[in-house]
Amino acid sequence: MDGYFGWLGRFLRVDGPASSARTRDRFGWQPVQPGLLADLDAGHYVRDRADVSRAPVTLRT
């Protein structure tokens, strides 16, 4: 990973769990939109889901 991302690879390997608990407690914020996985499943980030499902996956080493 370091060969591809350089110095940034060090940060990408770190396990950094995140939570919205502090924001919810401090500001009384509650999410009203769908979660990330539901949003991705709905296809909001691609023009045509059929094109994405047929697209070949290329991994760089």
Side-chain angles (χ1 to χ4, degrees):
M1 186 178 283
D2 288 338
Y4 185 78
F5 290 105
W7 62 270
L8 188 58
R10 191 173 351 157
F11 296 102
L12 298 174
R13 285 193 312 266
V14 174
D15 182 19
S19 169
S20 63
R22 282 182 85 178
T23 304
R24 291 177 192 218
D25 291 343
R26 188 171 190 179
F27 299 108
W29 173 79
Q30 291 297 320
V32 294
Q33 300 295 325
L36 176 61
L37 296 179
D39 208 22
L40 290 172
D41 284 341
H44 295 152
Y45 295 94
V46 295
R47 290 185 183 162
D48 184 359
R49 290 188 66 168
D51 289 341
V52 173
S53 64
R54 290 189 304 253
V57 175
T58 304
L59 300 176
R60 296 181 185 184
T61 57

